[in-house]
Amino acid sequence: ASLGLREPLISAQTIFRPNLALSCERRAGSGVAELSRLRSELARYAGQGGARAVPSTIVYAPTQATVESVGQYLGQDPALDGMVEIYHGGLAPAARTTAHERFLSGAAPIVAATVAFGMGIDKPDIRRVYHFGAPKTVEEYYQQIGRAGRDGNLSSCVLMATDSDFSRYKSDFYLGGLSADGRSAVEGSIDLLRQYHGYRQMCRWTQLGRIFGEQPDIGHCGKCDVCTASADDLIERNYAAEVKLLLLGLRTLGRKAP
């Protein structure tokens, strides 16, 4: 419509990536507990076979200072020594190039980075994309998780955030240069991502599909935290009361049958 095209061919694929297992967590305080779990998981892989055994992992953080602290914390485990790089716009070009090349080659399978890292990354086997803090918009979130599992194999994407992560993006620091319409659009996208992060009653992929206007609904992916939690609930739930009622009904109907 913007280009004034007449009867153009419109080709659109589904947003659904069935090999990506999406999950959302509420970060507690500084997030040390969550980072500790991630570090322990990656260290176990390293202990089994060195850098080549560690899943290729990007940990996105919203600021350069947070990237520095996250990278330092992850690298403190002796099993991960030399396997963690950092990447942000404040580094010298040579340092960014080294981090980029070591990640692509697998010499450093883990990188803590701002969103400046990722564009043009031709690495099909990224197995983990962690957001240590929310992206600015739901569109950015979808773009960034799309860097995982491009080879079609199972990969995980974890969004760790608090309410303040979303609120900060509505400040003039981030939105001050936008028009009223532009600001409203970005604020709406921030709110959608906040709702997606906190809502645990619907498959993550179905939520994203609705956000991006995909019809029909994806349904249940079977891999996200909501779908797997629902499956666990079905397995663990005690249906004794319902079964007794059903049996009583069948017994009563059976007596009245000719």
Side-chain angles (χ1 to χ4, degrees):
S2 298
L3 294 174
L5 300 180
R6 295 183 295 274
E7 299 183 0
L9 171 65
I10 299 175
S11 177
Q13 292 182 323
T14 176
I15 68 159
F16 183 33
R17 296 274 305 280
N19 64 311
L20 298 189
L22 308 182
S23 63
C24 297
E25 299 178 8
R26 177 171 291 276
R27 201 176 72 246
S30 63
V32 171
E34 290 83 358
L35 279 180
S36 178
R37 289 199 302 270
L38 173 60
R39 186 173 68 179
S40 297
E41 175 194 350
L42 296 174
R44 283 196 300 272
Y45 283 103
Q48 294 168 5
R52 294 295 179 183
V54 177
S56 185
T57 301
I58 301 176
V59 182
Y60 282 117
T63 66
Q64 295 179 9
T66 307
V67 165
E68 295 275 355
S69 61
V70 167
Q72 181 181 20
Y73 183 83
L74 294 176
Q76 284 175 352
D77 192 300
L80 299 175
D81 184 37
M83 299 185 194
V84 182
E85 288 287 345
I86 61 171
Y87 188 106
H88 59 68
L91 297 175
R96 295 200 300 272
T97 298
T98 297
H100 184 226
E101 291 177 347
R102 295 192 73 232
F103 180 70
L104 289 181
S105 69
I110 307 161
V111 61
T114 58
V115 295
F117 185 79
M119 297 300 291
I121 293 262
D122 186 18
K123 187 170 175 59
D125 61 344
I126 295 172
R127 292 284 164 260
R128 305 281 190 279
V129 172
Y130 281 80
H131 283 94
F132 190 73
K136 287 195 289 291
T137 63
V138 70
E139 289 84 4
E140 287 189 15
Y141 168 74
Y142 181 71
Q143 180 189 59
Q144 290 155 21
I145 63 173
R147 292 163 189 161
R150 291 180 177 175
D151 57 3
N153 292 328
L154 183 63
S155 305
S156 65
C157 305
V158 181
L159 172 56
M160 296 180 286
T162 64
D163 286 341
S164 61
D165 291 335
F166 301 99
S167 301
R168 67 198 296 267
Y169 291 130
K170 292 188 176 183
S171 69
D172 287 339
F173 178 82
Y174 292 98
L175 304 181
L178 297 178
S179 66
D181 288 344
R183 182 165 187 147
S184 177
V186 174
E187 287 179 344
S189 185
I190 294 169
D191 288 338
L192 287 171
L193 186 59
R194 184 204 297 265
Q195 293 165 16
Y196 164 83
H197 174 261
Y199 191 62
R200 300 181 182 278
Q201 305 301 317
M202 183 187 297
C203 168
R204 296 290 177 190
W205 279 111
T206 293
Q207 290 186 58
L208 285 178
R210 291 188 177 186
I211 287 171
F212 289 108
E214 183 159 315
Q215 296 292 338
D217 285 346
I218 292 162
H220 295 274
C221 70
K223 297 184 180 70
C224 73
D225 56 343
V226 176
C227 287
T228 54
S230 298
D232 291 342
D233 289 344
L234 288 173
I235 293 171
E236 296 176 3
R237 182 177 171 185
N238 185 349
Y239 285 94
E242 289 89 340
V243 170
K244 288 180 180 178
L245 182 62
L246 176 61
L247 291 175
L248 177 61
L250 291 174
R251 189 179 303 119
T252 303
L253 290 173
R255 289 174 180 169
K256 294 180 179 179

